[in-house]
mmCIF file of all heavy atoms in Angstrom:
data_model
loop_
_atom_site.group_PDB
_atom_site.id
_atom_site.type_symbol
_atom_site.label_atom_id
_atom_site.label_comp_id
_atom_site.label_asym_id
_atom_site.label_seq_id
_atom_site.Cartn_x
_atom_site.Cartn_y
_atom_site.Cartn_z
ATOM 1 N N SER E 1 102.274 94.419 96.988
ATOM 2 C CA SER E 1 100.922 93.862 97.018
ATOM 3 C C SER E 1 100.938 92.545 96.255
ATOM 4 O O SER E 1 102.009 92.030 95.913
ATOM 5 C CB SER E 1 99.918 94.841 96.387
ATOM 6 O OG SER E 1 100.230 95.071 95.023
ATOM 7 N N LYS E 2 99.746 92.013 95.970
ATOM 8 C CA LYS E 2 99.625 90.816 95.157
ATOM 9 C C LYS E 2 98.766 91.089 93.928
ATOM 10 O O LYS E 2 97.830 91.883 93.978
ATOM 11 C CB LYS E 2 99.011 89.675 95.969
ATOM 12 C CG LYS E 2 99.930 89.121 97.039
ATOM 13 C CD LYS E 2 99.329 87.893 97.712
ATOM 14 C CE LYS E 2 100.297 87.307 98.730
ATOM 15 N NZ LYS E 2 99.726 86.098 99.389
ATOM 16 N N LYS E 3 99.114 90.442 92.830
ATOM 17 C CA LYS E 3 98.325 90.544 91.618
ATOM 18 C C LYS E 3 97.049 89.723 91.770
ATOM 19 O O LYS E 3 96.875 88.982 92.742
ATOM 20 C CB LYS E 3 99.134 90.043 90.420
ATOM 21 C CG LYS E 3 100.425 90.804 90.181
ATOM 22 C CD LYS E 3 101.225 90.188 89.040
ATOM 23 C CE LYS E 3 102.565 90.874 88.862
ATOM 24 N NZ LYS E 3 103.391 90.229 87.801
ATOM 25 N N ALA E 4 96.157 89.844 90.795
ATOM 26 C CA ALA E 4 94.888 89.123 90.846
ATOM 27 C C ALA E 4 95.091 87.614 90.925
ATOM 28 O O ALA E 4 94.280 86.899 91.524
ATOM 29 C CB ALA E 4 94.031 89.481 89.633
ATOM 30 N N ASP E 5 96.189 87.140 90.339
ATOM 31 C CA ASP E 5 96.449 85.689 90.352
ATOM 32 C C ASP E 5 97.190 85.234 91.608
ATOM 33 O O ASP E 5 97.546 84.055 91.743
ATOM 34 C CB ASP E 5 97.220 85.267 89.104
ATOM 35 C CG ASP E 5 98.602 85.921 89.010
ATOM 36 O OD1 ASP E 5 98.997 86.637 89.950
ATOM 37 O OD2 ASP E 5 99.284 85.717 87.988
ATOM 38 N N GLY E 6 97.430 86.168 92.534
ATOM 39 C CA GLY E 6 98.075 85.823 93.793
ATOM 40 C C GLY E 6 99.582 85.946 93.814
ATOM 41 O O GLY E 6 100.202 85.776 94.866
ATOM 42 N N THR E 7 100.194 86.244 92.667
ATOM 43 C CA THR E 7 101.645 86.399 92.614
ATOM 44 C C THR E 7 102.045 87.785 93.115
ATOM 45 O O THR E 7 101.253 88.732 93.072
ATOM 46 C CB THR E 7 102.167 86.198 91.182
ATOM 47 O OG1 THR E 7 101.529 87.147 90.313
ATOM 48 C CG2 THR E 7 101.866 84.783 90.695
ATOM 49 N N PRO E 8 103.277 87.941 93.599
ATOM 50 C CA PRO E 8 103.707 89.231 94.144
ATOM 51 C C PRO E 8 103.730 90.333 93.077
ATOM 52 O O PRO E 8 104.041 90.091 91.912
ATOM 53 C CB PRO E 8 105.123 88.946 94.646
ATOM 54 C CG PRO E 8 105.191 87.473 94.811
ATOM 55 C CD PRO E 8 104.311 86.900 93.749
ATOM 56 N N SER E 9 103.380 91.536 93.501
ATOM 57 C CA SER E 9 103.426 92.708 92.632
ATOM 58 C C SER E 9 104.503 93.653 93.150
ATOM 59 O O SER E 9 104.513 94.007 94.336
ATOM 60 C CB SER E 9 102.071 93.422 92.613
ATOM 61 O OG SER E 9 102.135 94.617 91.860
ATOM 62 N N TYR E 10 105.400 94.049 92.272
ATOM 63 C CA TYR E 10 106.508 94.934 92.637
ATOM 64 C C TYR E 10 106.286 96.304 92.000
ATOM 65 O O TYR E 10 106.064 96.402 90.789
ATOM 66 C CB TYR E 10 107.840 94.357 92.156
ATOM 67 C CG TYR E 10 108.194 93.048 92.814
ATOM 68 C CD1 TYR E 10 107.730 91.837 92.305
ATOM 69 C CD2 TYR E 10 108.999 93.016 93.958
ATOM 70 C CE1 TYR E 10 108.051 90.628 92.913
ATOM 71 C CE2 TYR E 10 109.326 91.813 94.573
ATOM 72 C CZ TYR E 10 108.850 90.624 94.045
ATOM 73 O OH TYR E 10 109.168 89.434 94.649
ATOM 74 N N THR E 11 106.319 97.329 92.812
ATOM 75 C CA THR E 11 106.080 98.679 92.317
ATOM 76 C C THR E 11 107.109 99.639 92.907
ATOM 77 O O THR E 11 107.820 99.309 93.855
ATOM 78 C CB THR E 11 104.672 99.165 92.696
ATOM 79 O OG1 THR E 11 104.561 99.217 94.139
ATOM 80 C CG2 THR E 11 103.596 98.246 92.141
ATOM 81 N N LEU E 12 107.172 100.829 92.345
ATOM 82 C CA LEU E 12 107.968 101.917 92.900
ATOM 83 C C LEU E 12 107.009 102.971 93.424
ATOM 84 O O LEU E 12 105.882 103.068 92.955
ATOM 85 C CB LEU E 12 108.885 102.506 91.815
ATOM 86 C CG LEU E 12 109.943 101.546 91.275
ATOM 87 C CD1 LEU E 12 110.820 102.249 90.246
ATOM 88 C CD2 LEU E 12 110.791 100.938 92.385
ATOM 89 N N PRO E 13 107.458 103.722 94.454
ATOM 90 C CA PRO E 13 108.823 103.991 94.872
ATOM 91 C C PRO E 13 109.430 102.897 95.744
ATOM 92 O O PRO E 13 108.739 102.102 96.366
ATOM 93 C CB PRO E 13 108.690 105.277 95.677
ATOM 94 C CG PRO E 13 107.339 105.131 96.322
ATOM 95 C CD PRO E 13 106.492 104.513 95.251
ATOM 96 N N ALA E 14 110.759 102.951 95.790
ATOM 97 C CA ALA E 14 111.545 102.171 96.739
ATOM 98 C C ALA E 14 112.805 102.974 97.031
ATOM 99 O O ALA E 14 113.190 103.840 96.238
ATOM 100 C CB ALA E 14 111.896 100.803 96.175
ATOM 101 N N ILE E 15 113.413 102.702 98.163
ATOM 102 C CA ILE E 15 114.675 103.368 98.507
ATOM 103 C C ILE E 15 115.668 102.334 99.026
ATOM 104 O O ILE E 15 115.288 101.250 99.487
ATOM 105 C CB ILE E 15 114.502 104.472 99.570
ATOM 106 C CG1 ILE E 15 114.043 103.873 100.912
ATOM 107 C CG2 ILE E 15 113.566 105.577 99.091
ATOM 108 C CD1 ILE E 15 114.177 104.825 102.097
ATOM 109 N N HIS E 16 116.942 102.707 98.939
ATOM 110 C CA HIS E 16 118.027 101.956 99.584
ATOM 111 C C HIS E 16 118.797 102.928 100.454
ATOM 112 O O HIS E 16 119.314 103.935 99.960
ATOM 113 C CB HIS E 16 118.946 101.343 98.537
ATOM 114 C CG HIS E 16 120.174 100.694 99.090
ATOM 115 N ND1 HIS E 16 120.154 99.902 100.214
ATOM 116 C CD2 HIS E 16 121.479 100.736 98.679
ATOM 117 C CE1 HIS E 16 121.376 99.464 100.477
ATOM 118 N NE2 HIS E 16 122.190 99.961 99.566
ATOM 119 N N ASP E 17 118.811 102.659 101.736
ATOM 120 C CA ASP E 17 119.609 103.469 102.662
ATOM 121 C C ASP E 17 120.999 102.843 102.707
ATOM 122 O O ASP E 17 121.186 101.762 103.276
ATOM 123 C CB ASP E 17 118.970 103.460 104.053
ATOM 124 C CG ASP E 17 119.687 104.404 105.022
ATOM 125 O OD1 ASP E 17 120.869 104.707 104.800
ATOM 126 O OD2 ASP E 17 119.049 104.816 106.007
ATOM 127 N N THR E 18 121.954 103.515 102.101
ATOM 128 C CA THR E 18 123.304 102.947 101.995
ATOM 129 C C THR E 18 124.041 102.919 103.329
ATOM 130 O O THR E 18 125.044 102.226 103.467
ATOM 131 C CB THR E 18 124.144 103.747 100.976
ATOM 132 O OG1 THR E 18 124.222 105.117 101.405
ATOM 133 C CG2 THR E 18 123.512 103.689 99.597
ATOM 134 N N THR E 19 123.531 103.655 104.307
ATOM 135 C CA THR E 19 124.147 103.652 105.630
ATOM 136 C C THR E 19 123.719 102.436 106.449
ATOM 137 O O THR E 19 124.537 101.769 107.075
ATOM 138 C CB THR E 19 123.789 104.940 106.400
ATOM 139 O OG1 THR E 19 124.269 106.069 105.668
ATOM 140 C CG2 THR E 19 124.404 104.943 107.789
ATOM 141 N N THR E 20 122.425 102.142 106.438
ATOM 142 C CA THR E 20 121.910 101.022 107.230
ATOM 143 C C THR E 20 121.800 99.739 106.418
ATOM 144 O O THR E 20 121.648 98.654 106.995
ATOM 145 C CB THR E 20 120.519 101.349 107.789
ATOM 146 O OG1 THR E 20 119.583 101.466 106.696
ATOM 147 C CG2 THR E 20 120.544 102.655 108.578
ATOM 148 N N GLY E 21 121.838 99.871 105.085
ATOM 149 C CA GLY E 21 121.661 98.716 104.220
ATOM 150 C C GLY E 21 120.219 98.364 103.938
ATOM 151 O O GLY E 21 119.935 97.415 103.201
ATOM 152 N N ALA E 22 119.280 99.122 104.503
ATOM 153 C CA ALA E 22 117.853 98.806 104.364
ATOM 154 C C ALA E 22 117.332 99.103 102.966
ATOM 155 O O ALA E 22 117.715 100.102 102.340
ATOM 156 C CB ALA E 22 117.052 99.593 105.388
ATOM 157 N N TYR E 23 116.449 98.234 102.486
ATOM 158 C CA TYR E 23 115.665 98.471 101.278
ATOM 159 C C TYR E 23 114.202 98.543 101.708
ATOM 160 O O TYR E 23 113.693 97.623 102.359
ATOM 161 C CB TYR E 23 115.835 97.332 100.275
ATOM 162 C CG TYR E 23 117.170 97.308 99.561
ATOM 163 C CD1 TYR E 23 118.231 96.553 100.051
ATOM 164 C CD2 TYR E 23 117.369 98.037 98.389
ATOM 165 C CE1 TYR E 23 119.455 96.519 99.394
ATOM 166 C CE2 TYR E 23 118.583 98.013 97.721
ATOM 167 C CZ TYR E 23 119.623 97.254 98.236
ATOM 168 O OH TYR E 23 120.830 97.226 97.573
ATOM 169 N N ILE E 24 113.528 99.622 101.339
ATOM 170 C CA ILE E 24 112.135 99.817 101.730
ATOM 171 C C ILE E 24 111.323 100.132 100.479
ATOM 172 O O ILE E 24 111.752 100.921 99.627
ATOM 173 C CB ILE E 24 111.976 100.988 102.731
ATOM 174 C CG1 ILE E 24 113.011 100.897 103.860
ATOM 175 C CG2 ILE E 24 110.554 101.028 103.278
ATOM 176 C CD1 ILE E 24 112.819 99.741 104.781
ATOM 177 N N SER E 25 110.135 99.532 100.369
ATOM 178 C CA SER E 25 109.255 99.788 99.238
ATOM 179 C C SER E 25 107.919 100.342 99.717
ATOM 180 O O SER E 25 107.538 100.158 100.878
ATOM 181 C CB SER E 25 109.019 98.502 98.435
ATOM 182 O OG SER E 25 108.489 97.483 99.258
ATOM 183 N N ASP E 26 107.223 101.031 98.824
ATOM 184 C CA ASP E 26 105.896 101.619 99.043
ATOM 185 C C ASP E 26 106.040 102.957 99.775
ATOM 186 O O ASP E 26 106.815 103.093 100.718
ATOM 187 C CB ASP E 26 104.988 100.673 99.815
ATOM 188 C CG ASP E 26 103.517 100.843 99.456
ATOM 189 O OD1 ASP E 26 103.184 101.765 98.685
ATOM 190 O OD2 ASP E 26 102.704 100.035 99.939
ATOM 191 N N SER E 27 105.247 103.922 99.329
ATOM 192 C CA SER E 27 105.473 105.303 99.761
ATOM 193 C C SER E 27 105.328 105.508 101.268
ATOM 194 O O SER E 27 106.217 106.098 101.905
ATOM 195 C CB SER E 27 104.553 106.262 99.001
ATOM 196 O OG SER E 27 103.199 105.888 99.146
ATOM 197 N N PHE E 28 104.231 105.054 101.866
ATOM 198 C CA PHE E 28 104.052 105.360 103.292
ATOM 199 C C PHE E 28 105.047 104.634 104.182
ATOM 200 O O PHE E 28 105.606 105.255 105.106
ATOM 201 C CB PHE E 28 102.610 105.087 103.733
ATOM 202 C CG PHE E 28 102.260 105.784 105.015
ATOM 203 C CD1 PHE E 28 102.076 107.159 105.055
ATOM 204 C CD2 PHE E 28 102.143 105.070 106.200
ATOM 205 C CE1 PHE E 28 101.775 107.815 106.245
ATOM 206 C CE2 PHE E 28 101.845 105.709 107.393
ATOM 207 C CZ PHE E 28 101.655 107.088 107.420
ATOM 208 N N PRO E 29 105.335 103.342 103.968
ATOM 209 C CA PRO E 29 106.406 102.713 104.762
ATOM 210 C C PRO E 29 107.757 103.409 104.602
ATOM 211 O O PRO E 29 108.533 103.494 105.558
ATOM 212 C CB PRO E 29 106.452 101.281 104.219
ATOM 213 C CG PRO E 29 105.065 101.019 103.749
ATOM 214 C CD PRO E 29 104.610 102.330 103.174
ATOM 215 N N ILE E 30 108.027 103.925 103.399
ATOM 216 C CA ILE E 30 109.278 104.669 103.204
ATOM 217 C C ILE E 30 109.277 105.928 104.061
ATOM 218 O O ILE E 30 110.268 106.242 104.734
ATOM 219 C CB ILE E 30 109.471 105.031 101.717
ATOM 220 C CG1 ILE E 30 109.745 103.776 100.890
ATOM 221 C CG2 ILE E 30 110.625 106.033 101.564
ATOM 222 C CD1 ILE E 30 109.749 104.021 99.392
ATOM 223 N N VAL E 31 108.170 106.643 104.051
ATOM 224 C CA VAL E 31 108.081 107.877 104.835
ATOM 225 C C VAL E 31 108.216 107.571 106.329
ATOM 226 O O VAL E 31 108.911 108.293 107.064
ATOM 227 C CB VAL E 31 106.757 108.607 104.531
ATOM 228 C CG1 VAL E 31 106.574 109.797 105.467
ATOM 229 C CG2 VAL E 31 106.733 109.072 103.083
ATOM 230 N N GLU E 32 107.586 106.507 106.786
ATOM 231 C CA GLU E 32 107.723 106.122 108.197
ATOM 232 C C GLU E 32 109.179 105.788 108.527
ATOM 233 O O GLU E 32 109.675 106.152 109.610
ATOM 234 C CB GLU E 32 106.823 104.921 108.493
ATOM 235 C CG GLU E 32 105.333 105.255 108.458
ATOM 236 C CD GLU E 32 104.472 104.058 108.772
ATOM 237 O OE1 GLU E 32 104.697 102.997 108.145
ATOM 238 O OE2 GLU E 32 103.571 104.172 109.619
ATOM 239 N N TYR E 33 109.860 105.125 107.613
ATOM 240 C CA TYR E 33 111.273 104.803 107.818
ATOM 241 C C TYR E 33 112.106 106.078 107.902
ATOM 242 O O TYR E 33 112.983 106.211 108.775
ATOM 243 C CB TYR E 33 111.777 103.919 106.679
ATOM 244 C CG TYR E 33 113.263 103.639 106.743
ATOM 245 C CD1 TYR E 33 113.748 102.600 107.529
ATOM 246 C CD2 TYR E 33 114.172 104.421 106.037
ATOM 247 C CE1 TYR E 33 115.119 102.349 107.610
ATOM 248 C CE2 TYR E 33 115.535 104.178 106.106
ATOM 249 C CZ TYR E 33 116.008 103.152 106.901
ATOM 250 O OH TYR E 33 117.364 102.909 106.979
ATOM 251 N N LEU E 34 111.854 107.020 107.008
ATOM 252 C CA LEU E 34 112.611 108.269 107.012
ATOM 253 C C LEU E 34 112.372 109.060 108.290
ATOM 254 O O LEU E 34 113.292 109.679 108.844
ATOM 255 C CB LEU E 34 112.236 109.108 105.784
ATOM 256 C CG LEU E 34 112.594 108.505 104.424
ATOM 257 C CD1 LEU E 34 112.056 109.382 103.293
ATOM 258 C CD2 LEU E 34 114.102 108.318 104.274
ATOM 259 N N GLU E 35 111.136 109.053 108.776
ATOM 260 C CA GLU E 35 110.820 109.739 110.034
ATOM 261 C C GLU E 35 111.630 109.149 111.193
ATOM 262 O O GLU E 35 112.177 109.865 112.021
ATOM 263 C CB GLU E 35 109.332 109.610 110.339
ATOM 264 C CG GLU E 35 108.446 110.559 109.581
ATOM 265 C CD GLU E 35 108.440 111.957 110.187
ATOM 266 O OE1 GLU E 35 107.917 112.139 111.301
ATOM 267 O OE2 GLU E 35 108.958 112.875 109.529
ATOM 268 N N LYS E 36 111.690 107.834 111.239
ATOM 269 C CA LYS E 36 112.374 107.153 112.339
ATOM 270 C C LYS E 36 113.889 107.267 112.225
ATOM 271 O O LYS E 36 114.587 107.460 113.233
ATOM 272 C CB LYS E 36 111.967 105.680 112.351
ATOM 273 C CG LYS E 36 112.606 104.861 113.460
ATOM 274 C CD LYS E 36 112.139 103.418 113.408
ATOM 275 C CE LYS E 36 112.783 102.577 114.498
ATOM 276 N NZ LYS E 36 112.328 101.152 114.456
ATOM 277 N N THR E 37 114.398 107.180 111.003
ATOM 278 C CA THR E 37 115.845 107.102 110.793
ATOM 279 C C THR E 37 116.510 108.476 110.804
ATOM 280 O O THR E 37 117.698 108.592 111.121
ATOM 281 C CB THR E 37 116.140 106.388 109.463
ATOM 282 O OG1 THR E 37 115.440 105.133 109.451
ATOM 283 C CG2 THR E 37 117.614 106.130 109.265
ATOM 284 N N PHE E 38 115.724 109.511 110.460
ATOM 285 C CA PHE E 38 116.276 110.873 110.423
ATOM 286 C C PHE E 38 115.460 111.775 111.354
ATOM 287 O O PHE E 38 114.746 112.688 110.903
ATOM 288 C CB PHE E 38 116.250 111.412 108.988
ATOM 289 C CG PHE E 38 117.083 110.596 108.027
ATOM 290 C CD1 PHE E 38 116.513 109.535 107.315
ATOM 291 C CD2 PHE E 38 118.422 110.867 107.837
ATOM 292 C CE1 PHE E 38 117.265 108.772 106.431
ATOM 293 C CE2 PHE E 38 119.195 110.112 106.958
ATOM 294 C CZ PHE E 38 118.606 109.061 106.259
ATOM 295 N N PRO E 39 115.543 111.521 112.666
ATOM 296 C CA PRO E 39 114.689 112.247 113.629
ATOM 297 C C PRO E 39 115.005 113.730 113.759
ATOM 298 O O PRO E 39 114.173 114.487 114.281
ATOM 299 C CB PRO E 39 114.958 111.512 114.950
ATOM 300 C CG PRO E 39 116.341 110.959 114.791
ATOM 301 C CD PRO E 39 116.437 110.559 113.338
ATOM 302 N N ASN E 40 116.176 114.142 113.305
ATOM 303 C CA ASN E 40 116.549 115.548 113.448
ATOM 304 C C ASN E 40 116.204 116.387 112.226
ATOM 305 O O ASN E 40 116.683 117.515 112.080
ATOM 306 C CB ASN E 40 118.046 115.654 113.752
ATOM 307 C CG ASN E 40 118.402 115.023 115.085
ATOM 308 O OD1 ASN E 40 117.655 115.137 116.054
ATOM 309 N ND2 ASN E 40 119.541 114.354 115.153
ATOM 310 N N THR E 41 115.372 115.833 111.356
ATOM 311 C CA THR E 41 114.879 116.576 110.197
ATOM 312 C C THR E 41 113.425 116.976 110.452
ATOM 313 O O THR E 41 112.769 116.422 111.348
ATOM 314 C CB THR E 41 114.949 115.711 108.928
ATOM 315 O OG1 THR E 41 114.122 114.547 109.108
ATOM 316 C CG2 THR E 41 116.377 115.262 108.650
ATOM 317 N N PRO E 42 112.891 117.955 109.698
ATOM 318 C CA PRO E 42 111.493 118.359 109.913
ATOM 319 C C PRO E 42 110.538 117.175 109.786
ATOM 320 O O PRO E 42 110.620 116.401 108.843
ATOM 321 C CB PRO E 42 111.260 119.384 108.803
ATOM 322 C CG PRO E 42 112.623 119.920 108.487
ATOM 323 C CD PRO E 42 113.555 118.759 108.655
#
């Protein structure tokens, strides 16, 4: 996100997929990535 002054805000969670090299931040985008990347899981 952005801070009140307009500068970038960095927060956790974040993940690094060592297989694809992807870095993903923020909980829901991470979950969407996991759904797409690991389709054979629940």
Side-chain angles (χ1 to χ4, degrees):
S1 62
K2 290 186 177 180
K3 301 176 184 177
D5 62 4
T7 58
S9 175
Y10 296 86
T11 62
L12 296 182
I15 65 166
H16 173 43
D17 186 337
T18 59
T19 300
T20 66
Y23 286 93
I24 313 292
S25 57
D26 210 354
S27 56
F28 199 72
I30 291 172
V31 173
E32 291 181 310
Y33 175 85
L34 296 175
E35 280 281 292
K36 180 179 179 180
T37 307
F38 299 91
N40 296 321
T41 61

